[in-house]
Amino acid sequence: MPSPYVRPLDLADEATAVAVHRIGRAAYAVEAELIGFDGIPALGESLAEMRARELRWLGAVGPDGEIAGFLAWEEPGGDGPLRLDRLCVDPARFRRGVASLLLRHALEELFPGRPVEVTTGAANTPAVTLYERLGFVRGADFSPVPGLRMASFSRGRPLIAESPAAAATPD
């Protein structure tokens, strides 16, 4: 596949939504093996559920229109950080710079200077390496359910929130 280009994706288009859903499930199946946990919510998400999410979608698309990967995020209200919901690459396109292309484009062109947060399986070494390489700072790992350890990353703002006690202390 020649180098993909980046463009917004419209999940109202049936073929686009089906391709995104297929790629997401395939990519999350690989992550499930890497992290030893098959309960990743997106693995059980139906096409309708995925389309109903209030996310913005960006795709890496080849000259033939084939989607190689995608990035989806939540737009916060106010000044809150952007929350990356998913970054998935078709496993047939792994190790070709697709995730880097999507994430760099989003950080530099769509939300430069804005705080961004993301989580991934702590044992997902390729994702952890990507986020660290692109300037994300790793915060505390956490376990939302038994058997799953997640890594949190932030770019453009501190990871440690001020404690309520510290906030109440007068100067």
Side-chain angles (χ1 to χ4, degrees):
M1 175 179 184
S3 295
Y5 63 95
V6 176
R7 70 167 172 83
L9 297 176
D10 180 3
L11 270 58
D13 176 75
E14 186 71 17
T16 299
V18 167
V20 165
H21 190 250
R22 176 189 57 77
I23 291 167
R25 290 184 67 136
Y28 281 119
V30 172
E31 182 177 16
E33 283 190 40
L34 284 173
I35 67 174
F37 182 79
D38 65 0
I40 298 171
L43 280 172
E45 185 178 63
S46 72
L47 179 62
E49 290 168 332
M50 182 190 73
R51 288 172 112 169
R53 302 280 313 274
E54 290 191 33
L55 298 172
R56 298 197 49 202
W57 300 85
L58 186 70
V61 181
D64 59 357
E66 187 177 337
I67 298 170
F70 62 87
L71 173 67
W73 68 94
E74 298 176 44
E75 276 288 345
D79 294 332
L82 288 159
R83 175 88 178 95
L84 301 184
D85 185 77
R86 54 190 83 190
L87 173 58
C88 297
V89 175
D90 185 334
R93 308 280 191 258
F94 279 2
R95 311 293 303 160
R96 297 186 190 175
V98 174
S100 295
L101 173 72
L102 285 162
L103 195 50
R104 275 194 184 104
H105 179 87
L107 294 170
E108 295 169 7
E109 303 295 326
L110 301 179
F111 28 89
R114 301 237 349 239
V116 179
E117 295 179 345
V118 66
T119 60
T120 190
N124 185 347
T125 303
V128 167
T129 301
L130 172 68
Y131 295 129
E132 289 175 340
R133 186 168 29 98
L134 293 182
F136 285 80
V137 176
R138 188 166 180 167
D141 288 1
F142 63 99
S143 292
V145 295
L148 176 61
R149 192 167 59 101
M150 299 292 290
S152 60
F153 293 88
S154 180
R155 188 172 191 264
R157 74 180 184 104
L159 286 168
I160 301 171
E162 192 173 81
S163 72
T169 305
D171 290 315

